[in-house]
Amino acid sequence: MRIAVFGADGYLGFPLSLCLLGRGHEVIAVDNGVTARRAACTGAPSVPADPGPLEQRLGGTGATVVEADVRDQERVRQLLQDVDVVVHLAQQRSAPYSMLSPEHALETVSDNLDSTMAVLFACRETGTRLVKLGSMGEYGTPSVPIPEGEWTLELGGRTARLWFPRSPGSFYHASKVCDSVYLRFACQCYGLTCIDVQQGPVVGVNTAELRERNACTRVYYDDVWGTVVHRFCAQASAGHPLTVYGRGGQTRGFLSLADSTWATATACEQIMDLPAGAYMEINQIAWTRSVRQLAEEVAALARERGCPAALSHVPNPREGCELEEHFYEVEAAVLRNWGLVAEQPQQVLGETLDYMLAHSRELRASVLAPRHTFRDGGDTCRDGHG
Ligand code: USQ
């Protein structure tokens, strides 16, 4: 199949492109380099700091690399001619970034909306099927199990198949809710075919294809772009306490980078079997952990490697926007049915820690502690990072 990957230079996009190529697909890898520029503005280097130009990193694979802004409707229409499936990853993907200031909130919601609308209308015209990366954070943390797809509501003696209620915890997550609303409607109205992948935080630095090419993806560890496990591993490697926000009972559904690329590549193949007009939601997670448990596991692995790692419960910068103790259970039957054999947390955490230890000299100490809160919405950012 011909598959376009929008956001191919990101943490997920690059390994996904390699995975699709490995499965024999033709890949059009599209990016405009904005994530690296945004990260530079918040003083946040990735590890490695510069993995090199995408064209070079995909050299010899047969992938077509295109520099393009996917908010540009006309450009997206051209790019999707004769493309079977597009994977849309080209969005602002950090919850903390979206909470830095009113400008960052607006940038997040408008960029994410513009790109989704451009992709949606191009798909309508070209008949390209869409695999869209959403977020488990669309649902928040309700005190009941989160179903996969629609659920049955009984009210007033009647029943209805409805969407599960959304409860986003940042403007970023809210932008993902909007994406889902527009895409579901476009499937119903225009006969678009879409898999909306509600994914939990992705963990890890490696996939089979990255290992084979001895290549790296962009891994962030700072308080704006770094996700929790990458931060804990970087902190342990740099001798910094592991910053558990608040009580640390925040529980999420995680999966490894290798499992995420496998699952998204499988979605690209499975979507061809869906009837036109189908809108399918999947919950892309493999295992659940609380933040506190993760910190304890990373600290234990670090101690095994001779690093004296300690936990520090710091005031939660997301106070008021997330619960620190809650019930969390997620239905994730689709991935199981597709045959995912998930990598185990112990292995993924150990590998990520070893990666950070190997790069410990590159780690920037100033971005390891939280610098911004969700509620102050801008002043620290303006003061600290212009
Ligand atoms: N946390 C800590 N200490 C830290 C950093 C984070 O305790 O140093 C906690 C946060 O308070 C939060 C949890 O860890 O409760 C997860 O935070 P995160 O930064 O790892 O992930 P999040 O902001 O939720 O966003 C990430 C990705 C996003 C994706 C989302 C899936 O950046 O693109 O959509 O995970 S989900 O979390 O299910 O919404």
Side-chain angles (χ1 to χ4, degrees):
M1 290 194 296
R2 259 168 80 75
I3 301 178
V5 178
F6 285 2
D9 198 16
Y11 168 64
L12 297 178
F14 177 57
L16 173 66
S17 301
L18 291 178
C19 178
L20 289 167
L21 289 158
R23 289 182 179 214
H25 300 297
E26 204 179 317
V27 169
I28 299 129
V30 181
D31 209 293
N32 68 347
V34 71
T35 296
R37 287 197 295 279
R38 279 185 177 137
C41 287
T42 47
S46 61
V47 178
D50 181 10
L54 186 61
E55 196 145 21
Q56 198 177 316
R57 293 153 78 214
L58 286 174
T61 62
T64 306
V65 178
V66 180
E67 191 181 330
D69 186 332
V70 302
R71 294 170 304 176
D72 180 340
Q73 296 218 6
E74 183 47 40
R75 191 84 173 95
V76 174
R77 229 191 324 264
Q78 288 163 3
L79 286 168
L80 293 190
Q81 298 298 327
D82 303 318
V83 165
D84 298 298
V85 180
V86 55
V87 187
H88 180 27
L89 298 159
Q91 293 199 307
Q92 195 300 89
R93 54 99 181 136
S94 158
Y97 183 89
S98 75
M99 302 300 289
L100 288 175
S101 74
E103 292 79 12
H104 289 85
L106 184 60
E107 181 187 339
T108 302
V109 296
S110 65
D111 276 18
N112 290 1
L113 172 66
D114 287 353
S115 66
T116 294
M117 293 305 257
V119 171
L120 181 162
F121 284 107
C123 286
R124 176 175 80 150
E125 197 176 300
T126 58
T128 305
R129 295 182 168 215
L130 171 61
V131 173
K132 166 73 176 51
L133 262 288
S135 173
M136 278 306 299
E138 286 189 25
Y139 300 113
T141 52
S143 54
V144 293
I146 299 172
E148 195 165 35
E150 290 185 335
W151 64 301
T152 305
L153 174 70
E154 290 181 19
L155 202 63
R158 299 179 61 83
T159 60
R161 292 289 290 166
L162 292 176
W163 246 13
F164 192 73
R166 264 51 179 178
S167 187
S170 70
F171 284 110
Y172 155 75
H173 287 106
S175 79
K176 295 287 189 179
V177 173
C178 294
D179 287 342
S180 295
V181 172
Y182 301 136
L183 291 172
R184 187 175 189 245
F185 171 70
C187 291
Q188 183 191 328
C189 182
Y190 301 139
L192 221 75
T193 309
C194 174
I195 296 184
D196 201 350
V197 178
Q198 311 301 12
Q199 182 165 256
V202 180
V203 181
V205 293
N206 251 320
T207 65
E209 296 80 16
L210 286 171
R211 275 189 211 98
E212 220 167 85
R213 287 179 70 84
N214 198 20
C216 295
T217 188
R218 296 175 191 278
V219 183
Y220 291 92
Y221 59 91
D222 65 287
D223 58 327
V224 176
W225 298 99
T227 48
V228 64
V229 170
H230 299 168
R231 284 178 54 66
F232 287 165
C233 291
Q235 288 166 338
S237 304
H240 190 283
L242 277 55
T243 54
V244 176
Y245 291 171
R247 283 184 286 166
Q250 304 92 317
T251 303
R252 301 286 182 269
F254 296 83
L255 78 169
S256 76
L257 180 61
D259 291 344
S260 169
T261 55
W262 181 92
T264 310
T266 304
C268 291
E269 291 158 359
Q270 293 285 335
I271 199 171
M272 299 312 288
D273 294 336
L274 295 182
Y279 171 79
M280 179 185 187
E281 277 188 297
I282 67 173
N283 293 341
Q284 193 149 296
I285 68 153
W287 34 272
T288 55
R289 284 287 188 284
S290 73
V291 160
R292 195 169 50 229
Q293 282 172 322
L294 284 171
E296 282 162 2
E297 287 176 56
V298 171
L301 289 166
R303 283 193 287 268
E304 277 172 23
R305 288 157 172 78
C307 305
L311 270 56
S312 166
H313 285 266
V314 300
N316 190 350
R318 305 181 187 193
E319 193 196 347
C321 302
E322 67 176 13
L323 296 176
E324 290 176 6
E325 299 284 353
H326 56 87
F327 172 86
Y328 199 66
E329 196 178 293
V330 175
E331 184 187 351
V334 174
L335 289 193
R336 258 200 320 278
N337 292 340
W338 285 352
L340 173 71
V341 182
E343 288 188 329
Q344 289 311 298
Q346 195 73 359
Q347 177 195 339
V348 186
L349 300 183
E351 217 176 39
T352 309
L353 183 58
D354 288 336
Y355 181 83
M356 291 298 183
L357 281 167
H359 290 87
S360 57
R361 286 190 178 176
E362 288 171 46
L363 300 175
R364 193 174 289 176
S366 59
V367 301
L368 292 173
R371 296 171 293 170
H372 315 282
T373 68
F374 275 21
R375 276 190 165 163
D376 71 10
D379 295 339
T380 35
C381 171
R382 290 204 192 93
D383 294 348
H385 303 289

